[in-house]
Amino acid sequence: MAEDFRVLIVDDDFHVAKLHAAYVDSVAGFLALAPVGTASLALQAIHSLRPDLVLLDVYLPDASGLDLLQQLDVDTVILSAASDAASVRTAFRRGALGYLLKPFTSDALSQQLRSYARFRRVLAQPGALDQDAVERAKRSLIPGDVTPSAKPRSATEAAVLEALVPGEQYSAAEVAARVGVSRATAQRYLSSLADDGAVDIQLRYGTTGRPEHRYGLPVVPG
């Protein structure tokens, strides 16, 4: 199984940062690092811990998060109460992958993180990307904007998708047993279906406390 994406939260409000860390840890495939509350501590943590993703507030006690953003060579999503158009434009101009306005729900951050995971999986394909992959990567960053791909599915991929019952969640091993393939094969097809937005990934803790990835069909609003 691939390693979890390591997430650094930069927010000067300790209680908010702790809450956001709990949100991050509840999403399959993500691990929250110890939060930091200043721009200077963020630079130190990024240098030493090498996170995959930074969740950055705009209002920090020693610098603007937007100014810090210019110095970062790491994927970053802004989490802030700064709702003025200038801040949003500046954030995207300086490389932010997303912008989530406070206050937000755990589900809103979960969708943002899962979108980021799809983005990374699309760009993890071996070899050169074609334009379709680039466009899918761009679309995957917008929560809720990824629609199932219209590309033809192989017989195995179709069987994996058909094994998922609406409203139910399954482990890769359970899907493998239902389809009659190896767990590794089921895992590979489930990841591909998640890239296309056809499958959602959730996290569940078992009796041993070890998290398990669960797969299911996306919930259709309404």
Side-chain angles (χ1 to χ4, degrees), residues 4-201:
D4 291 342
F5 293 117
R6 290 150 45 87
V7 181
L8 177 67
I9 297 164
V10 184
D11 196 303
D12 67 333
D13 188 318
F14 171 78
H15 297 289
V16 169
K18 186 176 180 180
L19 177 64
H20 292 172
Y23 288 173
V24 170
D25 284 334
S26 71
V27 180
F30 288 85
L31 173 68
L33 303 171
V36 296
T38 68
S40 60
L41 288 175
L43 288 172
Q44 294 176 33
I46 291 168
H47 177 74
S48 61
L49 300 176
R50 300 295 180 186
D52 298 286
L53 178 66
V54 172
L55 302 182
L56 177 63
D57 193 6
V58 169
Y59 302 123
L60 299 175
D62 56 340
S64 165
L66 296 176
D67 292 336
L68 176 61
L69 182 59
Q70 284 187 298
Q71 305 175 50
L72 303 184
D73 186 21
V74 59
D75 293 341
T76 303
V77 170
I78 299 294
L79 307 184
S80 181
S83 59
D84 59 288
S87 292
V88 176
R89 288 182 61 239
T90 299
F92 284 116
R93 187 168 65 246
R94 294 179 179 177
L97 297 180
Y99 201 110
L100 197 57
L101 289 172
K102 296 178 180 179
F104 49 80
T105 64
S106 61
D107 185 60
L109 182 55
S110 173
Q111 289 185 39
Q112 188 76 61
L113 294 177
R114 286 184 301 207
S115 294
Y116 175 74
R118 286 194 294 267
F119 169 76
R120 288 289 300 268
R121 286 195 298 268
V122 171
L123 296 182
Q125 298 176 11
L129 300 174
D130 58 19
Q131 189 62 41
D132 179 65
V134 173
E135 295 302 321
R136 284 196 294 124
K138 288 167 54 181
R139 290 195 304 271
S140 69
L141 284 171
I142 305 174
D145 197 48
V146 176
T147 56
S149 172
K151 70 181 182 182
R153 302 196 185 280
S154 69
T156 302
E157 187 175 49
V160 167
L161 189 58
E162 290 170 3
L164 302 177
V165 176
E168 300 292 332
Q169 299 287 327
Y170 302 89
S171 68
E174 289 169 339
V175 173
R178 291 170 67 89
V179 177
V181 297
S182 70
R183 182 188 179 283
T185 296
Q187 181 83 58
R188 185 170 67 253
Y189 281 104
L190 286 165
S191 294
S192 175
L193 288 164
D195 291 343
D196 289 341
V199 167
D200 274 347
I201 307 176

Side-chain angles (χ1 to χ4, degrees), residues 189-217:
Y189 281 104
L190 286 165
S191 294
S192 175
L193 288 164
D195 291 343
D196 289 341
V199 167
D200 274 347
I201 307 176
Q202 304 290 336
L203 190 66
R204 189 178 77 178
Y205 287 86
T207 55
T208 63
R210 184 174 182 178
E212 179 184 48
H213 290 187
R214 308 287 292 183
Y215 303 87
L217 297 175

